[in-house]
Amino acid sequence: MLFAGSDRDGVAEGRITSAYRRWAEPRVVAGRIYRTNAGRIEIDSVSQINPDLLADNDPDVIAADRGNAKDVRRRLRGNEDWPTFLIRFHLVEGPDPREELAASADLTPADVEDLRARLAKLDELSRHGAWTTATLRQIQAKPHTRAGDLAAEVGRDTAGFKLDVRKLKNLGLTYSLEVGYELSPRGTAYLDAL
């Protein structure tokens, strides 16, 4: 989830604890922690709502830092035929373990072997063949390149490509940037060890 303008500040300060989104289907899952542009948040609940039934004094309207129900409806983006979801969340304090992992470039032989086995498993489960090492090398060669452009180079759809890069990010091998990606120190160390 991304937050714009004052919403980003409100989430980062812990003042905003709910959001309304118009999505074709829910994009977040209760109980999971997500990295956002306002910090890490844990999703407490996700529920489909009818925005026409919102009241100005609804606690979630206030928790979303909206002036009234009309303000909530006015700010909804996306296809008007899509359902509206109320997402309740809280800010997660402390360092992101994935960032600490990504910053570590000191890989032992056991670390390299563990990563190799994890990546081999991702390759094995893939519907489009082995992709992990090639994608790491592609990101290394073209940092800050749009995901759509990287995906097109290898004949992939953008959404599937981004999902795969997120798997690499979860292993601490890449960073997501405003535009594109780059290898983390851990990712660079892994490729150097191959």
Side-chain angles (χ1 to χ4, degrees):
M1 286 179 58
L2 294 177
F3 298 96
S6 63
D7 286 352
R8 182 177 55 239
D9 297 337
V11 171
E13 295 165 4
R15 287 185 296 105
I16 294 179
T17 57
S18 68
Y20 296 88
R21 295 291 189 269
R22 188 184 284 147
W23 291 329
E25 58 188 34
R27 295 183 185 171
V28 294
V29 176
R32 288 198 184 161
I33 294 175
Y34 294 87
R35 289 181 3 165
T36 74
N37 60 339
R40 292 185 308 142
I41 60 171
E42 182 172 358
I43 306 300
D44 298 318
S45 66
V46 181
S47 54
Q48 187 173 332
I49 61 140
N50 182 340
D52 294 327
L53 299 180
L54 288 173
D56 291 343
N57 62 350
D58 186 313
D60 290 307
V61 171
I62 296 164
D65 198 29
R66 297 295 179 252
N68 52 44
K70 182 178 180 181
D71 189 27
V72 170
R73 290 187 289 272
R74 181 180 62 80
R75 294 179 188 225
L76 288 172
R77 301 289 177 258
N79 187 321
E80 291 185 13
D81 294 332
W82 290 348
T84 299
F85 295 93
L86 165 63
I87 302 101
R88 293 184 183 114
F89 56 87
H90 63 274
L91 190 63
V92 176
E93 300 291 340
D96 185 339
R98 290 186 300 179
E99 287 183 14
E100 292 178 340
L101 182 66
S104 171
D106 296 327
L107 297 180
T108 66
D111 292 332
V112 172
E113 190 50 45
D114 178 61
L115 281 170
R116 186 175 291 154
R118 288 172 183 256
L119 295 176
K121 188 68 171 173
L122 291 174
D123 287 339
E124 178 185 322
L125 296 173
S126 171
R127 293 182 181 156
H128 49 271
W131 60 272
T132 57
T133 302
T135 301
L136 287 170
R137 293 200 188 284
Q138 184 184 26
I139 291 169
Q140 184 180 43
K142 295 187 175 185
H144 302 271
T145 301
R146 289 180 54 249
D149 295 338
L150 293 173
E153 284 182 7
V154 292
R156 301 267 322 272
D157 67 288
T158 302
F161 183 85
K162 288 171 114 175
L163 183 62
D164 279 349
V165 174
R166 191 173 304 131
K167 294 170 188 173
L168 299 174
K169 182 178 176 181
N170 288 339
L171 292 173
L173 299 173
T174 64
Y175 290 130
S176 293
L177 308 171
E178 285 294 321
V179 176
Y181 313 98
E182 70 180 5
L183 289 187
S184 67
R186 180 179 175 87
T188 301
Y190 174 73
L191 286 184
D192 290 346
L194 292 183

